[in-house]
Short mmCIF file of all heavy atoms in Angstrom, two decimals:
data_model
loop_
_atom_site.label_atom_id
_atom_site.label_comp_id
_atom_site.label_asym_id
_atom_site.label_seq_id
_atom_site.Cartn_x
_atom_site.Cartn_y
_atom_site.Cartn_z
N ASP B 258 -19.13 4.02 -73.30
CA ASP B 258 -17.70 4.24 -73.66
C ASP B 258 -16.74 3.62 -72.73
O ASP B 258 -16.66 4.09 -71.63
CB ASP B 258 -17.49 5.76 -73.75
CG ASP B 258 -16.10 6.25 -74.28
OD1 ASP B 258 -15.24 5.34 -74.23
OD2 ASP B 258 -15.93 7.31 -74.57
N PRO B 259 -16.01 2.57 -73.10
CA PRO B 259 -15.18 1.89 -72.13
C PRO B 259 -14.09 2.74 -71.54
O PRO B 259 -13.87 2.64 -70.38
CB PRO B 259 -14.48 0.73 -73.02
CG PRO B 259 -15.44 0.59 -74.19
CD PRO B 259 -15.96 1.96 -74.48
N ALA B 260 -13.60 3.74 -72.31
CA ALA B 260 -12.51 4.64 -71.82
C ALA B 260 -13.09 5.57 -70.79
O ALA B 260 -12.48 5.83 -69.68
CB ALA B 260 -11.87 5.38 -72.96
N LEU B 261 -14.29 6.13 -71.05
CA LEU B 261 -14.88 6.91 -70.09
C LEU B 261 -15.31 6.18 -68.73
O LEU B 261 -15.10 6.65 -67.69
CB LEU B 261 -16.12 7.68 -70.60
CG LEU B 261 -17.00 8.60 -69.76
CD1 LEU B 261 -16.00 9.73 -69.28
CD2 LEU B 261 -18.10 9.13 -70.52
N LEU B 262 -15.80 5.04 -68.94
CA LEU B 262 -16.21 4.17 -67.78
C LEU B 262 -14.89 3.94 -66.91
O LEU B 262 -14.99 4.00 -65.68
CB LEU B 262 -16.85 2.85 -68.21
CG LEU B 262 -17.29 1.90 -67.15
CD1 LEU B 262 -18.27 2.58 -66.17
CD2 LEU B 262 -17.84 0.67 -67.72
N ARG B 263 -13.82 3.67 -67.65
CA ARG B 263 -12.60 3.33 -66.84
C ARG B 263 -12.11 4.57 -66.12
O ARG B 263 -11.66 4.44 -64.98
CB ARG B 263 -11.51 2.82 -67.87
CG ARG B 263 -10.23 2.53 -67.13
CD ARG B 263 -9.14 1.86 -68.13
NE ARG B 263 -7.90 1.57 -67.53
CZ ARG B 263 -6.93 2.40 -67.36
NH1 ARG B 263 -7.06 3.66 -67.90
NH2 ARG B 263 -5.83 2.11 -66.77
N ALA B 264 -12.26 5.77 -66.78
CA ALA B 264 -11.83 6.93 -66.10
C ALA B 264 -12.75 7.18 -64.80
O ALA B 264 -12.13 7.60 -63.76
CB ALA B 264 -11.94 8.14 -66.98
N TYR B 265 -14.03 6.94 -64.90
CA TYR B 265 -14.87 7.02 -63.74
C TYR B 265 -14.42 6.07 -62.61
O TYR B 265 -14.52 6.38 -61.48
CB TYR B 265 -16.34 6.82 -64.16
CG TYR B 265 -17.02 7.93 -64.88
CD1 TYR B 265 -18.02 7.76 -65.83
CD2 TYR B 265 -16.56 9.30 -64.74
CE1 TYR B 265 -18.62 8.69 -66.54
CE2 TYR B 265 -17.16 10.33 -65.47
CZ TYR B 265 -18.23 10.03 -66.38
OH TYR B 265 -18.83 11.04 -67.06
N GLU B 266 -14.13 4.76 -63.04
CA GLU B 266 -13.74 3.88 -62.06
C GLU B 266 -12.43 4.24 -61.37
O GLU B 266 -12.34 4.08 -60.14
CB GLU B 266 -13.55 2.50 -62.72
CG GLU B 266 -14.89 1.84 -63.13
CD GLU B 266 -14.69 0.43 -63.57
OE1 GLU B 266 -14.32 -0.44 -62.72
OE2 GLU B 266 -14.76 0.11 -64.79
N ILE B 267 -11.49 4.81 -62.11
CA ILE B 267 -10.20 5.19 -61.50
C ILE B 267 -10.49 6.38 -60.57
O ILE B 267 -9.89 6.43 -59.43
CB ILE B 267 -9.25 5.58 -62.70
CG1 ILE B 267 -8.75 4.32 -63.29
CG2 ILE B 267 -8.03 6.35 -62.01
CD1 ILE B 267 -7.86 4.54 -64.52
N GLU B 268 -11.35 7.31 -61.00
CA GLU B 268 -11.70 8.52 -60.09
C GLU B 268 -12.33 7.97 -58.78
O GLU B 268 -12.03 8.35 -57.70
CB GLU B 268 -12.60 9.45 -60.81
CG GLU B 268 -12.96 10.60 -59.96
CD GLU B 268 -13.99 11.59 -60.63
OE1 GLU B 268 -14.53 11.12 -61.67
OE2 GLU B 268 -14.28 12.62 -60.02
N LYS B 269 -13.18 6.96 -58.96
CA LYS B 269 -13.93 6.41 -57.79
C LYS B 269 -12.94 5.76 -56.85
O LYS B 269 -13.08 5.90 -55.55
CB LYS B 269 -15.03 5.47 -58.20
CG LYS B 269 -15.75 4.78 -57.03
CD LYS B 269 -16.60 5.93 -56.27
CE LYS B 269 -17.38 5.31 -55.14
NZ LYS B 269 -18.07 6.29 -54.31
N GLU B 270 -12.10 5.04 -57.42
CA GLU B 270 -10.99 4.35 -56.56
C GLU B 270 -10.19 5.28 -55.89
O GLU B 270 -9.76 5.17 -54.69
CB GLU B 270 -10.23 3.34 -57.39
CG GLU B 270 -9.72 2.11 -56.65
CD GLU B 270 -10.82 1.16 -56.25
OE1 GLU B 270 -11.48 1.40 -55.10
OE2 GLU B 270 -11.11 0.12 -56.91
N THR B 271 -9.85 6.43 -56.57
CA THR B 271 -9.02 7.48 -56.00
C THR B 271 -9.79 8.10 -54.73
O THR B 271 -9.22 8.34 -53.70
CB THR B 271 -8.74 8.52 -57.00
OG1 THR B 271 -8.05 8.00 -58.14
CG2 THR B 271 -7.76 9.65 -56.38
N TYR B 272 -11.06 8.32 -54.95
CA TYR B 272 -11.92 8.78 -53.85
C TYR B 272 -11.81 7.87 -52.68
O TYR B 272 -11.82 8.26 -51.50
CB TYR B 272 -13.31 8.99 -54.38
CG TYR B 272 -14.35 9.30 -53.25
CD1 TYR B 272 -14.61 10.57 -52.85
CD2 TYR B 272 -15.05 8.24 -52.57
CE1 TYR B 272 -15.46 10.81 -51.81
CE2 TYR B 272 -15.99 8.62 -51.54
CZ TYR B 272 -16.11 9.84 -51.19
OH TYR B 272 -16.95 10.09 -50.19
N GLU B 273 -11.91 6.52 -52.98
CA GLU B 273 -11.90 5.55 -51.89
C GLU B 273 -10.55 5.59 -51.06
O GLU B 273 -10.65 5.38 -49.81
CB GLU B 273 -12.01 4.10 -52.47
CG GLU B 273 -13.38 3.82 -53.04
CD GLU B 273 -14.43 3.72 -51.98
OE1 GLU B 273 -14.20 3.23 -50.85
OE2 GLU B 273 -15.55 4.22 -52.22
N PHE B 274 -9.44 5.96 -51.71
CA PHE B 274 -8.26 6.16 -50.96
C PHE B 274 -8.39 7.35 -49.97
O PHE B 274 -8.04 7.20 -48.76
CB PHE B 274 -7.01 6.58 -51.97
CG PHE B 274 -6.33 5.30 -52.42
CD1 PHE B 274 -6.52 4.84 -53.76
CD2 PHE B 274 -5.39 4.70 -51.70
CE1 PHE B 274 -5.84 3.79 -54.28
CE2 PHE B 274 -4.64 3.64 -52.13
CZ PHE B 274 -4.86 3.13 -53.45
N ALA B 275 -8.90 8.46 -50.49
CA ALA B 275 -9.15 9.61 -49.61
C ALA B 275 -10.05 9.30 -48.51
O ALA B 275 -9.82 9.71 -47.36
CB ALA B 275 -9.60 10.83 -50.47
N TYR B 276 -11.11 8.68 -48.76
CA TYR B 276 -12.17 8.34 -47.75
C TYR B 276 -11.53 7.32 -46.72
O TYR B 276 -11.71 7.62 -45.51
CB TYR B 276 -13.39 7.72 -48.38
CG TYR B 276 -14.44 7.18 -47.43
CD1 TYR B 276 -15.34 8.13 -46.86
CD2 TYR B 276 -14.42 5.85 -46.90
CE1 TYR B 276 -16.30 7.63 -45.90
CE2 TYR B 276 -15.38 5.43 -46.02
CZ TYR B 276 -16.27 6.45 -45.45
OH TYR B 276 -17.16 6.03 -44.52
N ALA B 277 -10.95 6.31 -47.14
CA ALA B 277 -10.42 5.30 -46.25
C ALA B 277 -9.32 5.93 -45.32
O ALA B 277 -9.27 5.67 -44.11
CB ALA B 277 -9.86 4.10 -46.93
N ALA B 278 -8.41 6.69 -45.92
CA ALA B 278 -7.31 7.33 -45.23
C ALA B 278 -7.87 8.26 -44.15
O ALA B 278 -7.28 8.42 -43.05
CB ALA B 278 -6.34 7.93 -46.12
N THR B 279 -8.92 8.91 -44.42
CA THR B 279 -9.47 9.96 -43.45
C THR B 279 -10.46 9.33 -42.45
O THR B 279 -10.35 9.67 -41.28
CB THR B 279 -10.29 10.95 -44.33
OG1 THR B 279 -9.54 11.59 -45.32
CG2 THR B 279 -10.83 12.03 -43.45
N TYR B 280 -11.26 8.35 -42.76
CA TYR B 280 -12.27 7.87 -41.88
C TYR B 280 -12.11 6.38 -41.48
O TYR B 280 -12.53 5.92 -40.50
CB TYR B 280 -13.69 8.03 -42.59
CG TYR B 280 -14.10 9.43 -42.81
CD1 TYR B 280 -14.34 9.91 -44.11
CD2 TYR B 280 -14.35 10.29 -41.76
CE1 TYR B 280 -14.77 11.19 -44.29
CE2 TYR B 280 -14.72 11.63 -41.92
CZ TYR B 280 -14.89 12.04 -43.26
OH TYR B 280 -15.38 13.39 -43.46
N LEU B 281 -11.53 5.61 -42.38
CA LEU B 281 -11.55 4.07 -42.18
C LEU B 281 -10.25 3.45 -42.70
O LEU B 281 -10.27 2.84 -43.72
CB LEU B 281 -12.78 3.52 -42.85
CG LEU B 281 -13.23 2.08 -42.48
CD1 LEU B 281 -13.64 2.07 -41.04
CD2 LEU B 281 -14.34 1.64 -43.37
N PRO B 282 -9.19 3.67 -41.95
CA PRO B 282 -7.89 3.16 -42.42
C PRO B 282 -7.94 1.60 -42.68
O PRO B 282 -7.09 1.23 -43.60
CB PRO B 282 -6.90 3.50 -41.35
CG PRO B 282 -7.51 4.71 -40.73
CD PRO B 282 -9.02 4.55 -40.80
N SER B 283 -8.69 0.93 -42.02
CA SER B 283 -8.72 -0.52 -42.17
C SER B 283 -9.31 -0.96 -43.55
O SER B 283 -9.13 -2.09 -43.96
CB SER B 283 -9.61 -1.21 -41.10
OG SER B 283 -10.91 -0.69 -41.14
N TRP B 284 -9.86 0.03 -44.26
CA TRP B 284 -10.54 -0.22 -45.57
C TRP B 284 -9.44 0.10 -46.73
O TRP B 284 -9.74 -0.15 -47.92
CB TRP B 284 -11.68 0.65 -45.80
CG TRP B 284 -12.40 0.58 -47.03
CD1 TRP B 284 -12.41 1.55 -48.05
CD2 TRP B 284 -13.17 -0.54 -47.63
NE1 TRP B 284 -13.23 1.14 -49.10
CE2 TRP B 284 -13.59 -0.13 -48.93
CE3 TRP B 284 -13.48 -1.78 -47.10
CZ2 TRP B 284 -14.40 -1.03 -49.70
CZ3 TRP B 284 -14.24 -2.62 -47.95
CH2 TRP B 284 -14.68 -2.22 -49.20
N LEU B 285 -8.27 0.57 -46.34
CA LEU B 285 -7.31 0.98 -47.39
C LEU B 285 -6.87 -0.16 -48.34
O LEU B 285 -6.46 0.07 -49.47
CB LEU B 285 -6.04 1.62 -46.77
CG LEU B 285 -6.10 3.12 -46.51
CD1 LEU B 285 -4.92 3.56 -45.60
CD2 LEU B 285 -6.11 3.88 -47.83
N TRP B 286 -6.95 -1.38 -47.82
CA TRP B 286 -6.64 -2.53 -48.74
C TRP B 286 -7.46 -2.51 -50.02
O TRP B 286 -6.99 -2.95 -50.99
CB TRP B 286 -6.78 -3.83 -48.01
CG TRP B 286 -8.16 -4.20 -47.65
CD1 TRP B 286 -8.87 -3.91 -46.54
CD2 TRP B 286 -9.08 -4.82 -48.52
NE1 TRP B 286 -10.17 -4.37 -46.58
CE2 TRP B 286 -10.34 -4.93 -47.80
CE3 TRP B 286 -9.07 -5.30 -49.83
CZ2 TRP B 286 -11.48 -5.56 -48.34
CZ3 TRP B 286 -10.25 -5.86 -50.37
CH2 TRP B 286 -11.37 -6.01 -49.61
N ALA B 287 -8.76 -2.10 -49.88
CA ALA B 287 -9.70 -2.20 -51.02
C ALA B 287 -9.32 -1.28 -52.15
O ALA B 287 -9.18 -1.83 -53.30
CB ALA B 287 -11.13 -1.99 -50.60
N PRO B 288 -9.09 -0.02 -51.94
CA PRO B 288 -8.69 0.75 -53.08
C PRO B 288 -7.32 0.44 -53.54
O PRO B 288 -6.94 0.52 -54.77
CB PRO B 288 -8.77 2.21 -52.59
CG PRO B 288 -8.75 2.10 -51.13
CD PRO B 288 -9.42 0.86 -50.78
N THR B 289 -6.43 -0.01 -52.67
CA THR B 289 -5.11 -0.40 -53.07
C THR B 289 -5.09 -1.59 -54.02
O THR B 289 -4.51 -1.53 -55.09
CB THR B 289 -4.19 -0.73 -51.82
OG1 THR B 289 -4.17 0.34 -50.89
CG2 THR B 289 -2.83 -1.15 -52.24
N GLU B 290 -5.76 -2.57 -53.65
CA GLU B 290 -5.85 -3.80 -54.53
C GLU B 290 -6.70 -3.46 -55.76
O GLU B 290 -6.43 -3.96 -56.82
CB GLU B 290 -6.44 -4.98 -53.74
CG GLU B 290 -5.56 -5.53 -52.71
CD GLU B 290 -6.09 -6.72 -52.01
OE1 GLU B 290 -6.97 -7.37 -52.60
OE2 GLU B 290 -5.63 -7.13 -50.95
N GLY B 291 -7.75 -2.69 -55.56
CA GLY B 291 -8.63 -2.33 -56.69
C GLY B 291 -7.99 -1.52 -57.77
O GLY B 291 -8.04 -1.77 -59.00
N MET B 292 -7.19 -0.46 -57.31
CA MET B 292 -6.47 0.33 -58.26
C MET B 292 -5.43 -0.51 -58.96
O MET B 292 -5.24 -0.35 -60.21
CB MET B 292 -5.87 1.51 -57.58
CG MET B 292 -5.27 2.56 -58.58
SD MET B 292 -6.49 3.50 -59.43
CE MET B 292 -6.96 4.81 -58.19
#
């Protein structure tokens, strides 16, 4: 289901924001550009 897959991808990218901001700020570019 493309819509469901996209929702999972958006959720995963949101998680990447939280992870990077907490543990690895130098990684924040990845979820920013990815989202």
Side-chain angles (χ1 to χ4, degrees):
D258 181 344
L261 179 58
L262 178 59
R263 181 173 179 274
Y265 286 151
E266 287 189 70
I267 289 173
E268 180 186 9
K269 180 62 177 177
E270 209 69 277
T271 304
Y272 171 89
E273 291 291 323
F274 271 103
Y276 175 83
T279 304
Y280 295 115
L281 195 63
S283 61
W284 178 250
L285 272 170
W286 67 264
T289 301
E290 293 186 14
M292 188 73 83

